[in-house]
Amino acid sequence: MTDSGRVVGIVIAVFVVLVLIICGCLCAGGLLLDRNSPDPVAEDPYVFPDDDWTTPAVEPLFPERPTAQPPTLAPTPTKQPITAPTSGPAPVTVVYEVTGSGQADIAYYDAESDLIHVDHTKLPWRTSIRTNGQSRVMVEATWPDIDYHGPLDCTLTVTGVGKPIVDKTRGYWRTTCSVE
C-alpha cells in the first residue's frame, strides 16, 4: 500500500471514530436528560370502572361547556362625550339615533367635534348634543360581528338654525348618517 493510501485510510478511520464519539455522546446525553422527565406512556392504559360498571374512574377528557353567559359590562365610550360646546352659544341641536335588534358598534361626533366610539351598545340607541355648527355631524353604526342581524337604521336630525335637516339611512352591515 502506498503512503497516500495509508493517509486516506487513517483519515477515514479518524472520521468514523469522531462520528461514533459524537453519536454516542448525543445518545448518552439524551438518556441522561430523559431520566428526569416523566414517562410519556401511561403506566396503566386500562382504566376499570367501579364495581357497578356505571361510574367512570377518570374525569372526562373534555370538560362540559358552562351554560351561564359571562357577565357583560355596560358599554362605555372611548372618552366622555361632550354634549354642549365649552365656548360660545350652542344654537344647533343634533339628535343621533340607531335602531335595529341586538347590539351595534357606534361612532359619532360630540359637541367639540371629537369622534366618540361606543362598542356593543344595546339597540335602539339615541343621544343628543348641542353645538355651534353642523360641520362635524355624523353617526355610524356597524354590527360587531359578521352574523346577520337584519337591517340597521340610523337617523340624524339637526334643528335650531334654518329648516330642520333629517338624514335617514338603512344598511345591513354598516350604516352612516351625516350632514352634507
Side-chain angles (χ1 to χ4, degrees):
M1 199 182 215
T2 64
D3 286 335
S4 64
R6 280 191 209 139
V7 170
V8 169
I10 292 173
V11 168
I12 291 174
V14 168
F15 178 74
V16 169
V17 168
L18 287 174
V19 168
L20 290 175
I21 290 173
I22 291 172
C23 290
C25 289
L26 290 176
C27 291
L31 290 173
L32 290 174
L33 290 175
D34 191 47
R35 188 181 303 171
N36 294 332
S37 64
D39 189 7
V41 178
E43 291 180 14
D44 186 9
Y46 303 103
V47 177
F48 295 102
D50 293 348
D51 292 336
D52 63 359
W53 289 84
T54 58
T55 309
V58 295
E59 293 293 321
L61 291 177
F62 301 104
E64 292 183 24
R65 285 186 160 177
T67 56
Q69 293 291 332
T72 57
L73 301 174
T76 56
T78 52
K79 75 172 216 73
Q80 288 299 347
I82 298 172
T83 58
T86 56
S87 63
V92 177
T93 299
V94 179
V95 178
Y96 297 120
E97 294 179 83
V98 177
T99 57
S101 62
Q103 297 179 346
D105 295 340
I106 298 174
Y108 68 96
Y109 286 112
D110 69 0
E112 293 289 317
S113 296
D114 290 329
L115 188 61
I116 305 297
H117 293 273
V118 185
D119 293 335
H120 300 288
T121 301
K122 187 175 179 344
L123 299 179
W125 174 86
R126 178 186 171 127
T127 192
S128 63
I129 63 168
R130 300 215 16 103
T131 185
N132 294 332
Q134 303 173 22
S135 61
R136 295 200 100 177
V137 176
M138 182 276 308
V139 63
E140 176 183 82
T142 308
W143 293 122
D145 53 29
I146 60 173
D147 293 337
Y148 177 74
H149 298 276
L152 188 60
D153 297 321
C154 70
T155 305
L156 176 112
T157 307
V158 180
T159 58
V161 176
K163 184 178 175 185
I165 300 170
V166 177
D167 182 24
K168 185 169 182 145
T169 307
R170 171 170 278 187
Y172 291 91
W173 179 71
R174 174 184 296 176
T175 184
T176 303
C177 291
S178 63
V179 175
E180 298 196 22

